[in-house]
Amino acid sequence: MPTLGIETSCDDSGVAIYDEARGIVAEALASQTDIHQPFGGVVPELASRDHIRKLAPLLQSVLDDADMTLEDLTGIAYTAGPGLPGALMVGAAFGRSLAQALHIPSIGVHHMEGHLLAPFLSDAQPQFPFLALLVSGGHTQIVHVQSIGRYKILGDTLDDAVGEAFDKVARMLGLGFPGGPAISRLAINGNADTFKLPRPMTDRPGLDLSFSGLKTAVRQLVAESSPLDDRTAADIAASFEQAIVDTLHIKVSRALKETRMKELVVAGGVSANRRLRHQFETKLDAKVHFPAPHLCTDNGAMIAFAGHHRLAQGFTEPLGIKTRPRWPLEALVDQV
């Protein structure tokens, strides 16, 4: 049952084919980093236009790599939300129209469900139920996962997501876009103990998160240290990165204790962060699952996998094209 996955929620165009018997048959990804870097962030209109240019060539590349034709596909999955409205519409229109032309079913996939299920594409798969930490550019959530499609949000960010905080601090330090990788590269040469930055909301009960206070503390630190030399900038980057990881570690530890879960999935773009991976793998009382590094960021494989399971359950989209730029993960409960 080869399922085509199409991901266009933001600034990466991803296309992949997943088959239950063979796993990921082929995948291709086109990054828009060079397009958006001069602006220090994603420009929605430019993102949409680039998705239009890239999808057809990516599809052909994937089919060639898989030694398949369009007629070999049995289903199509596309990201329906959450994400940028225009970018979502490009992928949804492409996937839905292609499915209609081929007379095969199609399904709109929740972007964060794709991230959450990405570790299932690895050999060591998590076992239900488990706890999940979703950390991406637009979301930071602690989720109780009962089964595919049954999710309960235990903690959410009250302001910026972790990925947004990385991007904004990177701009303060004069680094490139995206901010997460840029800060991590600089932090390698820094001392994380140099500056004592806050671990927001860890001194109060609950599992919600906030990073605005930490971001403000870094802004003040940068202003006080101006002009920044290379050593100071590296120390700030390392101290900030450690504060983020510590905050997530404290909240997830609390969630594991409260839920008595013994397995944890960490997924989303920030799950590629080396400091986070090391601390979670060595200091948490749980078996921790990460996606393969190339599956941490947005990609078509996770959409193909999630869509495959939705289609196997008998779900399809009615005639028409529908996207959901704002789509709570818990809303998927009613679809199972």
Side-chain angles (χ1 to χ4, degrees):
M1 186 177 175
T3 301
L4 178 71
I6 300 169
E7 158 58 25
T8 62
S9 65
C10 190
D11 60 337
D12 287 318
S13 304
V15 177
I17 297 173
Y18 172 81
D19 182 82
E20 191 167 24
R22 296 183 288 169
I24 302 173
V25 181
E27 57 183 324
L29 183 71
S31 173
Q32 298 180 5
T33 297
D34 292 343
I35 295 173
H36 303 292
Q37 198 165 45
F39 305 97
V42 177
V43 181
E45 181 64 22
L46 295 181
S48 301
R49 292 181 181 184
D50 197 61
H51 288 312
I52 293 172
R53 287 191 292 266
K54 297 290 177 57
L55 281 184
L58 287 172
L59 172 59
Q60 189 59 57
S61 173
V62 166
L63 289 172
D64 291 343
D65 289 346
D67 194 22
M68 295 171 60
T69 67
L70 289 173
E71 286 69 27
D72 293 317
L73 300 174
T74 59
I76 296 177
Y78 54 86
T79 303
L84 302 176
L88 290 170
M89 183 57 69
V90 172
F94 188 90
R96 189 69 185 89
S97 301
L98 183 59
Q100 184 71 10
L102 295 172
H103 305 289
I104 59 176
S106 64
I107 189 76
V109 171
H110 193 292
H111 178 72
M112 296 312 295
E113 181 175 51
H115 276 304
L116 191 153
L117 299 178
F120 284 90
L121 292 167
S122 302
D123 292 334
Q125 299 181 356
Q127 300 295 313
F128 296 107
F130 57 81
L131 195 71
L133 172 65
L134 300 179
V135 275
S136 68
H139 297 81
T140 301
Q141 297 175 321
I142 299 173
V143 186
H144 181 277
V145 180
Q146 188 66 33
S147 61
I148 293 178
R150 296 190 180 275
Y151 312 119
K152 181 179 180 181
I153 307 299
L154 303 181
D156 207 340
T157 181
L158 303 181
D159 38 63
D160 287 349
V162 170
E164 291 172 311
F166 270 111
D167 286 342
K168 292 176 181 178
V169 169
R171 284 199 291 271
M172 296 177 200
L173 295 175
L175 304 178
F177 172 84
I183 285 179
S184 293
R185 287 192 296 269
L186 181 60
I188 291 174
N189 300 315
N191 182 352
D193 296 323
T194 302
F195 300 105
K196 303 302 181 185
L197 293 170
R199 275 59 173 166
M201 294 183 65
T202 56
D203 59 347
R204 65 184 73 177
L207 299 175
D208 285 336
L209 303 113
S210 169
F211 298 101
S212 61
L214 174 57
K215 185 180 61 182
T216 299
V218 174
R219 181 181 292 112
Q220 293 173 343
L221 186 57
V222 170
E224 294 168 359
S225 305
S226 183
L228 287 176
D229 56 57
D230 292 345
R231 165 54 66 183
T232 303
D235 288 343
I236 292 175
S239 299
F240 167 73
E241 186 179 52
Q242 188 62 59
I244 288 282
V245 172
D246 284 347
T247 301
L248 295 173
H249 180 263
I250 292 168
K251 290 289 186 173
V252 168
S253 295
R254 187 178 298 170
L256 287 168
K257 183 177 181 180
E258 291 180 4
T259 61
R260 299 182 181 179
M261 290 290 172
K262 293 299 180 181
E263 291 202 53
L264 172 72
V265 161
V266 184
V270 183
S271 66
N273 182 277
R274 284 177 289 184
R275 192 184 298 266
L276 183 148
R277 284 188 173 231
H278 175 74
Q279 185 159 324
F280 274 47
E281 287 174 337
T282 59
K283 296 185 179 181
L284 278 178
D285 184 22
K287 185 176 182 180
V288 185
H289 301 268
F290 291 94
H294 76 285
L295 296 177
C296 290
T297 55
D298 296 349
N299 62 87
M302 68 182 191
I303 302 304
F305 179 80
H308 167 82
H309 284 278
R310 290 280 173 184
L311 291 170
Q313 291 175 334
F315 294 103
T316 59
E317 294 288 349
L319 186 63
I321 300 170
K322 182 179 181 181
T323 59
R324 305 169 180 85
R326 295 183 181 275
W327 191 5
L329 187 61
E330 286 181 311
L332 289 172
V333 170
D334 295 332
Q335 298 184 18
V336 178

